């Protein structure tokens, strides 16, 4: 297998890892106004934030790695993508920064108005990337206007076409479902029950949107492999929703994890051998061949990736294992007002779960 194909696969794996991992913490952020309501709303919000506190920043490492790998392995792809999609990618970056500030600063001052403002930042900072990543990935697969100089000739509104918006709504719905199931898996009591019920309702909408998107894109550029991956995504999502309905949150999370991964794999399989097809003229399309680095660069990158990738995966798996316990409102201490900001692995925007928290039931 050519190294260009190897690195196309590796970049697809990195983006898949980013969407399946950061997808659920986007979902938890978007669900704060829904699952954080009630007389004990502040405590419930702190429970939600504690579920993703130890892992959200580690999940973003996948985004940095995917972007860096694209730059090194396919510099022409990187240049066309990041210059052509400059405005939506800038909006995503700003949203991610605002969300991180919300995690760090909402617990700095013991004032409801202060916390409400940062809650808005967390929600907006979760919705915008979830929507725009779907818009961007959909447009990359279906093709965008690229001229003979390999430059994008459209604008932001070119990307906001009906199919692109369908892709954005699909990722929002999938991440909401993924996040609700993650909350049910990591919590106890009323929050757990409400998250589980919500996951089934939102999941049915996500399934309908995902089927419409995958059928549309695969009908345009799909291959046998991409159709198989799309079918696997649909089966995994329905199986995950069935498991959630039967109160099996662990299997439900596996289902949405596999569904999102298979859906992203289907899009990359439909894209290959192009990396950014041109809707102006197919001859102007960027492919794994004409957009790649030199063979020597790819060889060095392969050696580095073979050494460090297992270490990164082992560290992240260890993090998830250490913070595997369930939490509930009874584990959340009283607000500490101007207490120092929590840092990972504690909860974002709230006091950490006390070390005496009991072991999970599952």
């Amino acid at each position: 297998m050519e190294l260009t194909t190897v690195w196309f696969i590796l970049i697809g794996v990195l983006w898949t890892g980013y969407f399946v991992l950061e997808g659920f913490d986007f979902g938890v952020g978007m669900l704060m106004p829904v699952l954080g309501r009630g007389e004990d709303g502040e405590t419930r919000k702190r429970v939600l934030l504690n579920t993703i506190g130890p892992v959200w920043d580690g999940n973003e490492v996948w985004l940095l790695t995917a972007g860096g790998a694209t730059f090194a392995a396919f510099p022409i792809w990187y240049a066309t993508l990041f210059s052509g999609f400059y405005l939506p990618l800038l909006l995503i970056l700003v949203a991610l920064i605002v969300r991180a500030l919300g995690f760090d600063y909402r617990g700095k001052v013991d004032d409801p108005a202060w916390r409400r403002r940062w809650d808005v930042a967390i929600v907006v900072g979760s919705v915008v990337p979830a929507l725009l990543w779907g818009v961007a990935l959909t447009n990359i697969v279906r093709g965008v206007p690229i001229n003979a100089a390999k430059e994008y000739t459209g604008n932001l509104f070119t990307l906001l076409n009906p199919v692109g918006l369908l892709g954005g709504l699909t990722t929002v719905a999938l991440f909401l479902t993924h996040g609700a199931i993650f909350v049910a898996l990591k919590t106890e009591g009323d929050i757990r029950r409400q998250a589980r019920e919500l996951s089934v309702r939102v999941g049915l909408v996500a399934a309908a949107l995902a089927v419409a998107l995958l059928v549309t894109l695969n009908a345009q550029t799909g291959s046998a492999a991409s159709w198989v991956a799309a079918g696997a995504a649909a089966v995994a999502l329905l199986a995950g929703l069935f498991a959630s309905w039967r109160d099996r949150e662990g299997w439900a999370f596996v289902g949405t994890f596999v569904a999102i991964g298979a859906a992203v794999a289907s899009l990359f399989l439909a894209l290959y051998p192009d990396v950014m097809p041109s809707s102006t003229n197919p001859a102007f399309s960027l492919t794994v061949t004409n957009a790649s680095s030199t063979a020597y660069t790819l060889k060095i990158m392969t050696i580095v990736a073979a050494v460090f990738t297992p270490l990164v995966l082992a560290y992240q798996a260890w993090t998830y294992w250490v913070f595997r316990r369930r939490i509930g409102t009874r584990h959340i201490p009283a607000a500490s007002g101007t207490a120092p900001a929590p840092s990972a692995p504690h909860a974002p925007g709230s006091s950490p779960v006390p070390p005496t928290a009991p072991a999970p039931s599952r």
Side-chain angles (χ1 to χ4, degrees), residues 3-155:
L3 283 179
T4 52
T5 301
V6 170
W7 273 98
F8 177 82
I9 294 171
L10 290 176
I11 289 171
V13 170
L14 289 170
W15 281 108
T16 301
Y18 174 66
F19 285 123
V20 298
L21 291 176
E22 184 118 277
F24 70 73
D25 66 55
F26 282 150
V28 174
M30 290 187 283
L31 288 170
M32 280 184 61
V34 180
L35 297 177
R37 292 182 300 181
E39 294 181 355
D40 59 344
E42 171 58 21
T43 304
R44 293 166 67 96
K45 289 176 182 174
R46 292 169 66 188
V47 170
L48 295 174
L49 293 172
N50 269 287
T51 63
I52 58 174
V55 297
W56 71 270
D57 48 358
N59 294 342
E60 290 190 348
V61 171
W62 289 78
L63 171 61
L64 300 176
T65 309
T70 305
F71 170 75
F74 299 100
I76 299 176
W77 182 16
Y78 181 92
T80 303
L81 175 63
F82 281 78
S83 60
F85 289 23
Y86 181 79
L87 187 53
L89 293 178
L90 177 64
L91 291 174
I92 290 173
L93 178 61
V94 171
L96 293 176
I97 292 172
V98 167
R99 188 176 73 125
L101 290 173
F103 288 158
D104 283 338
Y105 281 88
R106 78 177 301 276
K108 291 282 191 182
V109 178
D110 188 17
D111 175 49
W114 170 272
R115 285 195 292 266
R116 279 198 299 272
R117 295 189 190 103
W118 286 117
D119 288 347
V120 171
I122 293 172
V123 174
V124 173
S126 301
V127 172
V128 171
L131 177 70
L132 292 182
W133 279 131
V135 171
L137 184 58
T138 300
N139 278 286
I140 290 173
V141 176
R142 72 187 295 265
V144 291
I146 297 174
N147 62 21
K150 311 299 183 190
E151 294 177 350
Y152 175 74
T153 58
N155 53 44

Side-chain angles (χ1 to χ4, degrees), residues 221-237:
T221 63
S223 61
S226 67
W227 278 106
V228 170
V235 171
L237 181 57

Side-chain angles (χ1 to χ4, degrees), residues 1-10 12 74 77 140-142 218 220-226 264-277 285-289:
M1 182 182 293
E2 296 286 338
L3 283 179
T4 52
T5 301
V6 170
W7 273 98
F8 177 82
I9 294 171
L10 290 176
F74 299 100
W77 182 16
I140 290 173
V141 176
R142 72 187 295 265
N218 278 296
Q220 179 181 341
T221 63
S223 61
S226 67
V264 177
S266 174
L267 297 183
F268 271 85
L269 288 168
L271 185 61
Y272 184 82
D274 292 333
V275 294
M276 205 165 176
S285 297
L286 278 65
T287 69
V288 293
T289 303

